[in-house]
Amino acid sequence: MNRFITKNKIYILPMTLLVLNILAIIFHFFIKISLPFPFEIIPLVIGGFIVIRSTLLATIKKRKVTAGLLVVLALIGTTYVGEYLSGSIVSFMMIFGEFLEDLTMKKTQNAVRSLIKLVPHKCRKKIGDKFELVSIREVRPGDIIQVIAGEKIPVDGIINNGQATINEAAITGESMPVDKSVHDKVFVGTLNENGVIEILTEKIGNETILGQIIKTVKNAQENKGNVQKTADKFAEFFLPTILFICFVTAILTKDIIRVMSILVIACPCALVLATPTAVIASVGNAAKKGVLIKGGVVIEEFAKVTTICFDKTGTITKGTPEVVDMFICDQSKKQEFLETLAIVEKNSGHPIGKSIVKYLVNKENIDMNNIPNGEFDMLFGRGVKVKLDEKIYEVSNRRALEELNFEGSNSEKIYEFLDHEEKLGRTALVVLSNQNVLGCLSVADTVRPYIKDAINELKTLGIEDFIMLTGDNEYTASAICEEVGIEHFKANLLPQEKLDYIKKLQSEGKHVAMIGDGINDAPALTLANVGIAMGMAGTDIASDASDITLMSDRIDFLCETLALSKRTYFIIKQNIWVFAVLVNIVGILLSGLGFLNPIAAAIIHNASSIFVVLNSSRMLGYKYKNDQTSSKLSIQSN
């Protein structure tokens, strides 16, 4: 029980006050009960005490006026004239807002925990002439570590012996695994997919690339700060103005009723409700469409965004390799070409091999059960070959042609195909049977079919700049950008370099949104004005570090989310300036002139609050004006 309470303590107070306020409304308007005092005094005392205490402490700490002081003023006014229910609701709204902020900060801890889990607890350390399993805490720079296929690398270092295929998506975002051998660098948290390697440890713990990511996520969250709410900005001049008006009214009229009428009409119920009601309606609307928005500050920030930075892998592209093109030297030998591919790649654990098998099964209707097994041999840095019935079948890169000194009737077309595909950043492979070139094919991480239309739509919504940030090479980055219509990109970036580029854009006065799906994107997602994570296809870490999460891998949902945010921001400003500020100004004037007594003032300020709620509720049914475009994108993506 104690463990449950500790785990869920941030929910207890707001949920308790919510229940008490619902009961207070029922007892006030519908069911009369016999109590020595109005029931609404209970939530008013609880909520009021907490709000007054936290407001006074915050005022002393920050040494500035906040919306909290307006609420304290409202609580005094409503309590004085017996409007206990109004005071209770005001205090609840303040506490609920703080609850949402606490909930968001809790996500930071989850993100850091998930990052730490990427580091193996144990590893094989060379002690004497043997490799012994030890705790990662016993490893120091200079130690030799052995990592076999299927294990995560526990340190940053250099390969001292052996060869392996390393999946570095966790660090660089690169979807295609990289073949590495002696003298190549490797990073903690990356996965050894094939081979056995010995690593000379260079960095451990906080000094590693992953350690820096963890540190950066923490620092970025702490330094990001909360955007000062419109209500706080308004409170800086509104509170002293109200107090001055009350003082002048008391001096000129010597009528305490007029003073209390001003205090009541100035009660910032509408101001307090202006943001959270619109936010709740909008967040609910977005959630139904598979988009999670973490609060009102996010909506305000997203509405102001002028620049969107995209990660490549898993965001602009699908994140998995596919066969995209092929050239067969002799079409009459197509079946031999396909069977050679099947024989070679049948037992390959490499993602490229898996993508080729998937193509053969789904597109060419090859039954892999009928394909015989041969002697499999991985050619590091080149490809794969299989020996079967005294024949050698091979799928390799252009190094195979160089060894053969390949020349022939189709050599010009083969080299032309390889050059073209490699310029596009694709992996180009040659298919050989007994050293006879049958043809070639290319494999690549393909672009999402709807991304180009989504980018065009975002332009119509006011986004000025689109930039792709990727750990990939420049050839691949350039080809992808040209295909989807993005003019600018930065290639070969590590996580810290992505973060530095986001800072540079912000220093130039740009309001930046970052969208990504990988662990390596977490720092940039956190520091950007708005971080957007691809949910279903992304990592929990990216989701926890972000402000907006797309539950599916559909970037086109971003268009409707941006439109929703802009509309919500407009509604919030309308709530504040029309229903809160304007009504208050007119009400204060009428109260000061004696036309309104405290009861009438209470009715008017409650009416303005009702109009705020009704205005905000329109966001529940909001639909993006280009729904037809969204539908088209949906069909296209399917």
Side-chain angles (χ1 to χ4, degrees):
M1 185 65 180
N2 290 335
R3 185 179 178 184
F4 174 82
I5 292 174
T6 302
K7 186 178 180 181
N8 298 282
K9 63 180 180 180
I10 66 170
Y11 299 94
I12 295 173
L13 178 60
M15 294 304 109
T16 300
L17 285 176
L18 176 61
V19 172
L20 289 174
N21 273 282
I22 291 173
L23 291 174
I25 292 171
I26 294 172
F27 295 151
H28 185 87
F29 292 106
F30 305 107
I31 302 173
K32 301 298 180 182
I33 59 172
S34 297
L35 286 176
F37 55 85
F39 183 84
E40 51 263 35
I41 288 180
I42 298 174
L44 174 60
V45 169
I46 298 172
F49 170 76
I50 292 168
V51 168
I52 292 172
R53 180 177 175 274
S54 62
T55 300
L56 291 177
L57 291 174
T59 303
I60 293 169
K61 183 179 179 181
K62 296 180 181 179
R63 297 180 182 178
K64 67 191 299 185
V65 174
T66 68
L69 286 177
L70 285 173
V71 176
V72 171
L73 183 64
L75 291 174
I76 295 170
T78 52
T79 303
Y80 182 84
V81 296
E83 284 289 322
Y84 306 124
L85 184 60
S86 296
S88 176
I89 291 172
V90 168
S91 61
F92 167 71
M93 293 308 300
M94 284 293 293
I95 290 169
F96 188 72
E98 291 176 3
F99 159 71
L100 290 177
E101 290 181 7
D102 291 341
L103 201 60
T104 302
M105 289 306 296
K106 191 177 180 182
K107 289 290 186 178
T108 307
Q109 299 169 355
N110 294 339
V112 173
R113 288 193 196 101
S114 299
L115 285 167
I116 293 171
K117 287 180 182 178
L118 288 172
V119 183
H121 295 299
K122 294 186 177 183
C123 63
R124 293 179 185 81
K125 173 181 172 181
K126 191 172 187 179
I127 301 175
D129 295 329
K130 298 180 180 178
F131 285 98
E132 297 183 14
L133 198 62
V134 300
S135 168
I136 189 64
R137 297 175 184 274
E138 297 179 34
V139 177
R140 298 289 180 270
D143 288 343
I144 302 295
I145 305 298
Q146 184 188 61
V147 182
I148 65 175
E151 292 183 341
K152 288 180 180 176
I153 294 173
V155 297
D156 281 4
I158 297 176
I159 296 178
N160 200 42
N161 186 29
Q163 297 173 319
T165 302
I166 309 295
N167 186 331
E168 295 185 326
I171 299 298
T172 66
E174 168 58 55
S175 60
M176 304 294 287
V178 182
D179 290 333
K180 294 201 172 189
S181 58
V182 177
H183 303 311
D184 287 334
K185 283 185 174 292
V186 291
F187 305 107
V188 63
T190 56
L191 179 66
N192 179 6
E193 294 192 344
N194 247 314
V196 178
I197 52 176
E198 295 176 11
I199 303 167
L200 174 63
T201 302
E202 289 188 321
K203 296 178 181 178
I204 59 173
N206 294 333
E207 300 301 316
T208 64
I209 287 286
L210 188 60
Q212 291 301 310
I213 293 176
I214 293 171
K215 181 180 177 182
T216 306
V217 170
K218 285 182 178 178
N219 290 342
Q221 277 282 17
E222 291 170 3
N223 297 332
K224 187 173 183 178
N226 293 322
V227 177
Q228 190 180 26
K229 297 178 178 64
T230 306
D232 286 346
K233 296 175 186 176
F234 184 69
E236 288 180 7
F237 66 86
F238 183 65
L239 178 59
T241 301
I242 293 301
L243 292 176
F244 177 75
I245 291 172
C246 288
F247 175 75
V248 171
T249 302
I251 295 296
L252 295 178
T253 67
K254 302 188 187 310
D255 185 350
I256 191 63
I257 295 299
R258 292 191 187 191
V259 174
M260 291 316 304
S261 296
I262 292 173
L263 284 175
V264 172
I265 198 70
C267 168
C269 287
L271 189 63
V272 172
L273 290 169
T275 298
T277 52
V279 168
I280 291 169
S282 300
V283 169
N285 184 323
K288 288 188 294 184
K289 296 167 184 174
V291 180
L292 301 183
I293 303 175
K294 298 177 183 177
V297 172
V298 175
I299 288 174
E300 180 178 343
E301 288 291 291
F302 196 31
K304 297 176 183 176
V305 163
T306 58
T307 301
I308 296 183
C309 294
F310 294 86
D311 176 48
K312 179 185 77 71
T313 305
T315 304
I316 291 178
T317 64
K318 295 178 181 178
T320 54
E322 295 180 6
V323 174
V324 292
D325 202 0
M326 63 173 55
F327 170 74
I328 302 174
C329 296
D330 184 349
Q331 283 296 323
S332 66
K333 296 183 178 180
K334 179 180 179 180
Q335 193 61 30
E336 183 183 354
F337 174 87
L338 297 176
E339 287 178 0
T340 299
L341 278 175
I343 290 169
V344 174
E345 304 295 356
K346 179 181 179 180
N347 296 312
S348 172
H350 198 287
I352 290 178
K354 291 178 180 178
S355 69
I356 292 173
V357 170
K358 183 178 179 181
Y359 169 81
L360 293 172
V361 172
N362 296 338
K363 301 294 184 181
E364 301 293 345
N365 298 317
I366 300 291
D367 186 353
M368 298 303 292
N369 293 323
N370 293 331
I371 301 299
N373 294 313
E375 296 178 22
F376 185 87
D377 188 14
M378 173 73 74
L379 307 173
F380 283 96
R382 174 170 158 174
V384 178
K385 71 177 180 180
V386 170
K387 184 177 180 181
L388 178 67
D389 297 333
E390 303 304 320
K391 282 189 175 182
I392 302 296
Y393 303 94
E394 183 176 344
V395 177
S396 292
N397 57 29
R398 65 166 68 224
R399 289 186 187 177
L401 300 182
E402 293 169 2
E403 287 189 10
L404 289 174
N405 293 319
F406 176 62
E407 292 179 4
S409 57
N410 288 301
S411 61
E412 186 175 334
K413 291 181 179 179
I414 290 288
Y415 282 117
E416 185 179 314
F417 178 91
L418 296 176
D419 291 339
H420 177 264
E421 296 303 302
E422 288 171 357
K423 282 181 181 178
L424 292 177
R426 298 170 178 174
T427 300
L429 302 169
V430 183
V431 181
L432 305 98
S433 175
N434 267 356
Q435 298 189 338
N436 293 319
V437 179
L438 301 178
C440 42
L441 76 160
S442 63
V443 177
D445 184 7
T446 56
V447 167
R448 297 189 185 280
Y450 46 81
I451 179 65
K452 188 171 184 178
D453 289 332
I455 288 173
N456 290 334
E457 192 63 32
L458 288 168
K459 288 179 182 177
T460 68
L461 290 169
I463 303 300
E464 299 169 2
D465 299 309
F466 298 88
I467 305 165
M468 187 176 79
L469 307 180
T470 178
D472 254 347
N473 60 68
E474 290 197 11
Y475 280 122
T476 301
S478 178
I480 294 293
C481 284
E482 185 176 348
E483 187 174 350
V484 302
I486 293 178
E487 295 180 4
H488 307 290
F489 68 87
K490 291 289 179 180
N492 298 309
L493 297 181
L494 288 172
Q496 182 62 43
E497 292 170 323
K498 286 186 181 182
L499 190 71
D500 292 340
Y501 190 74
I502 295 286
K503 288 179 182 177
K504 177 176 177 292
L505 291 173
Q506 290 173 329
S507 69
E508 294 170 357
K510 295 181 178 178
H511 225 70
V512 183
M514 172 71 193
I515 178 166
D517 76 316
I519 297 163
N520 61 301
D521 300 318
L525 289 175
T526 304
L527 193 71
N529 298 91
V530 178
I532 304 162
M534 304 289 286
M536 186 182 295
T539 65
D540 291 338
I541 300 162
S543 179
D544 287 341
S546 68
D547 302 303
I548 297 174
T549 301
L550 307 181
M551 297 304 290
S552 70
D553 55 4
R554 294 272 305 280
I555 294 185
D556 50 299
F557 284 6
L558 202 58
C559 302
E560 185 158 357
T561 306
L562 178 58
L564 178 76
S565 297
K566 286 180 177 289
R567 182 63 180 171
T568 304
Y569 187 43
F570 172 77
I571 291 290
I572 290 171
K573 290 192 291 185
Q574 195 177 62
N575 285 344
I576 291 171
W577 295 108
V578 177
F579 299 115
V581 177
L582 184 60
V583 169
N584 272 351
I585 291 174
V586 173
I588 289 168
L589 181 62
L590 293 175
S591 297
L593 294 173
F595 290 106
L596 296 178
N597 60 28
I599 300 300
I603 292 172
I604 290 174
H605 101 255
N606 280 330
S608 68
S609 299
I610 291 171
F611 279 116
V612 164
V613 174
L614 291 175
N615 193 40
S616 296
S617 66
R618 292 192 295 151
M619 294 308 302
L620 286 170
Y622 174 80
K623 291 184 178 180
Y624 180 36
K625 65 178 182 179
N626 287 341
D627 269 347
Q628 290 182 345
T629 302
S630 296
S631 298
K632 248 191 290 182
L633 292 172
S634 299
I635 293 169
Q636 193 177 21
S637 68
N638 292 329

